[in-house]
Amino acid sequence: MPLAVGATIRVPDDAYRFGEGPLTLRITEVLSIGPFEGRVWAEVRGHEVTPDGTLRARARFAFVRVDRVTLISAGPQLAGSMTRPAPSPNHPVAVVAEPSGPVAGGPGSAEAAGAARP
């Protein structure tokens, strides 16, 4: 689905509320997605992308029809979401163990909860 933080979308002027002309938006937040007037709509916040490719400084909200959204750019790849290549005889892939518990400073950690470090 193209409605993800970091994605840049384009929506025709008859498929979003409120504004005039086509909207090109870099999404910073997806607030809600759900039915409205028989279609699926999403409320998003982001920065409008001007025709020369720069971002407007002021954030704006838009209520967009999901089926009319065109993905312009998927945005930056998030750490941990990259796909790993399949191993081959010529280029084996090393397997690296990842921590199974909370990462220091991450959600659920003592640091995130405000606990003092020993």
Side-chain angles (χ1 to χ4, degrees), residues 72-85:
I72 302 300
S73 168
Q77 190 82 12
L78 298 176
S81 66
M82 295 176 62
T83 59
R84 293 186 177 139

PDB file of all heavy atoms in Angstrom, residues 72-85:
ATOM      1  N   ILE A  72       4.555   7.907  -6.056  1.00  0.00           N
ATOM      2  CA  ILE A  72       5.648   8.550  -6.798  1.00  0.00           C
ATOM      3  C   ILE A  72       6.986   7.998  -6.324  1.00  0.00           C
ATOM      4  O   ILE A  72       7.861   7.693  -7.111  1.00  0.00           O
ATOM      5  CB  ILE A  72       5.613  10.089  -6.612  1.00  0.00           C
ATOM      6  CG1 ILE A  72       4.278  10.654  -7.072  1.00  0.00           C
ATOM      7  CG2 ILE A  72       6.780  10.748  -7.330  1.00  0.00           C
ATOM      8  CD1 ILE A  72       3.942  10.392  -8.516  1.00  0.00           C
ATOM      9  N   SER A  73       7.145   7.878  -5.007  1.00  0.00           N
ATOM     10  CA  SER A  73       8.371   7.360  -4.416  1.00  0.00           C
ATOM     11  C   SER A  73       8.008   6.643  -3.130  1.00  0.00           C
ATOM     12  O   SER A  73       7.207   7.148  -2.347  1.00  0.00           O
ATOM     13  CB  SER A  73       9.332   8.508  -4.122  1.00  0.00           C
ATOM     14  OG  SER A  73      10.394   8.069  -3.306  1.00  0.00           O
ATOM     15  N   ALA A  74       8.594   5.474  -2.904  1.00  0.00           N
ATOM     16  CA  ALA A  74       8.305   4.706  -1.698  1.00  0.00           C
ATOM     17  C   ALA A  74       8.994   5.284  -0.472  1.00  0.00           C
ATOM     18  O   ALA A  74       8.677   4.909   0.646  1.00  0.00           O
ATOM     19  CB  ALA A  74       8.715   3.253  -1.887  1.00  0.00           C
ATOM     20  N   GLY A  75       9.922   6.196  -0.655  1.00  0.00           N
ATOM     21  CA  GLY A  75      10.625   6.784   0.480  1.00  0.00           C
ATOM     22  C   GLY A  75      11.821   5.954   0.891  1.00  0.00           C
ATOM     23  O   GLY A  75      12.133   4.941   0.279  1.00  0.00           O
ATOM     24  N   PRO A  76      12.484   6.374   1.968  1.00  0.00           N
ATOM     25  CA  PRO A  76      13.687   5.667   2.407  1.00  0.00           C
ATOM     26  C   PRO A  76      13.346   4.281   2.933  1.00  0.00           C
ATOM     27  O   PRO A  76      12.301   4.079   3.531  1.00  0.00           O
ATOM     28  CB  PRO A  76      14.237   6.557   3.525  1.00  0.00           C
ATOM     29  CG  PRO A  76      13.076   7.345   4.003  1.00  0.00           C
ATOM     30  CD  PRO A  76      12.159   7.504   2.823  1.00  0.00           C
ATOM     31  N   GLN A  77      14.237   3.327   2.687  1.00  0.00           N
ATOM     32  CA  GLN A  77      14.071   1.967   3.189  1.00  0.00           C
ATOM     33  C   GLN A  77      14.347   1.975   4.684  1.00  0.00           C
ATOM     34  O   GLN A  77      15.317   2.550   5.142  1.00  0.00           O
ATOM     35  CB  GLN A  77      15.073   1.054   2.477  1.00  0.00           C
ATOM     36  CG  GLN A  77      14.864  -0.406   2.723  1.00  0.00           C
ATOM     37  CD  GLN A  77      13.785  -0.977   1.823  1.00  0.00           C
ATOM     38  OE1 GLN A  77      13.361  -0.346   0.887  1.00  0.00           O
ATOM     39  NE2 GLN A  77      13.353  -2.162   2.123  1.00  0.00           N
ATOM     40  N   LEU A  78      13.495   1.366   5.463  1.00  0.00           N
ATOM     41  CA  LEU A  78      13.682   1.323   6.909  1.00  0.00           C
ATOM     42  C   LEU A  78      14.672   0.223   7.270  1.00  0.00           C
ATOM     43  O   LEU A  78      14.688  -0.835   6.659  1.00  0.00           O
ATOM     44  CB  LEU A  78      12.355   1.065   7.610  1.00  0.00           C
ATOM     45  CG  LEU A  78      11.291   2.139   7.404  1.00  0.00           C
ATOM     46  CD1 LEU A  78      10.001   1.701   8.081  1.00  0.00           C
ATOM     47  CD2 LEU A  78      11.747   3.467   7.950  1.00  0.00           C
ATOM     48  N   ALA A  79      15.475   0.475   8.304  1.00  0.00           N
ATOM     49  CA  ALA A  79      16.428  -0.533   8.764  1.00  0.00           C
ATOM     50  C   ALA A  79      15.667  -1.779   9.177  1.00  0.00           C
ATOM     51  O   ALA A  79      14.639  -1.699   9.828  1.00  0.00           O
ATOM     52  CB  ALA A  79      17.232   0.018   9.941  1.00  0.00           C
ATOM     53  N   GLY A  80      16.179  -2.925   8.789  1.00  0.00           N
ATOM     54  CA  GLY A  80      15.544  -4.174   9.154  1.00  0.00           C
ATOM     55  C   GLY A  80      14.505  -4.638   8.149  1.00  0.00           C
ATOM     56  O   GLY A  80      14.047  -5.760   8.211  1.00  0.00           O
ATOM     57  N   SER A  81      14.104  -3.772   7.213  1.00  0.00           N
ATOM     58  CA  SER A  81      13.097  -4.180   6.245  1.00  0.00           C
ATOM     59  C   SER A  81      13.714  -4.523   4.902  1.00  0.00           C
ATOM     60  O   SER A  81      13.008  -4.827   3.961  1.00  0.00           O
ATOM     61  CB  SER A  81      12.062  -3.071   6.075  1.00  0.00           C
ATOM     62  OG  SER A  81      12.650  -1.944   5.490  1.00  0.00           O
ATOM     63  N   MET A  82      15.017  -4.483   4.816  1.00  0.00           N
ATOM     64  CA  MET A  82      15.675  -4.802   3.555  1.00  0.00           C
ATOM     65  C   MET A  82      15.649  -6.316   3.350  1.00  0.00           C
ATOM     66  O   MET A  82      15.760  -7.080   4.298  1.00  0.00           O
ATOM     67  CB  MET A  82      17.117  -4.304   3.578  1.00  0.00           C
ATOM     68  CG  MET A  82      17.213  -2.795   3.660  1.00  0.00           C
ATOM     69  SD  MET A  82      18.898  -2.224   3.808  1.00  0.00           S
ATOM     70  CE  MET A  82      19.607  -2.799   2.307  1.00  0.00           C
ATOM     71  N   THR A  83      15.495  -6.727   2.126  1.00  0.00           N
ATOM     72  CA  THR A  83      15.504  -8.151   1.841  1.00  0.00           C
ATOM     73  C   THR A  83      16.942  -8.614   1.712  1.00  0.00           C
ATOM     74  O   THR A  83      17.804  -7.882   1.252  1.00  0.00           O
ATOM     75  CB  THR A  83      14.733  -8.460   0.546  1.00  0.00           C
ATOM     76  OG1 THR A  83      15.337  -7.743  -0.512  1.00  0.00           O
ATOM     77  CG2 THR A  83      13.272  -8.075   0.672  1.00  0.00           C
ATOM     78  N   ARG A  84      17.171  -9.838   2.120  1.00  0.00           N
ATOM     79  CA  ARG A  84      18.512 -10.399   2.026  1.00  0.00           C
ATOM     80  C   ARG A  84      18.593 -11.254   0.776  1.00  0.00           C
ATOM     81  O   ARG A  84      17.657 -11.973   0.458  1.00  0.00           O
ATOM     82  CB  ARG A  84      18.800 -11.254   3.260  1.00  0.00           C
ATOM     83  CG  ARG A  84      18.884 -10.432   4.510  1.00  0.00           C
ATOM     84  CD  ARG A  84      19.310 -11.291   5.674  1.00  0.00           C
ATOM     85  NE  ARG A  84      19.457 -10.442   6.840  1.00  0.00           N
ATOM     86  CZ  ARG A  84      19.064 -10.785   8.045  1.00  0.00           C
ATOM     87  NH1 ARG A  84      18.508 -11.938   8.259  1.00  0.00           N
ATOM     88  NH2 ARG A  84      19.230  -9.960   9.056  1.00  0.00           N
ATOM     89  N   PRO A  85      19.730 -11.222   0.082  1.00  0.00           N
ATOM     90  CA  PRO A  85      19.862 -12.049  -1.115  1.00  0.00           C
ATOM     91  C   PRO A  85      19.899 -13.524  -0.759  1.00  0.00           C
ATOM     92  O   PRO A  85      20.355 -13.900   0.313  1.00  0.00           O
ATOM     93  CB  PRO A  85      21.187 -11.589  -1.730  1.00  0.00           C
ATOM     94  CG  PRO A  85      21.948 -10.998  -0.594  1.00  0.00           C
ATOM     95  CD  PRO A  85      20.920 -10.439   0.358  1.00  0.00           C
TER      96      PRO A  85
END
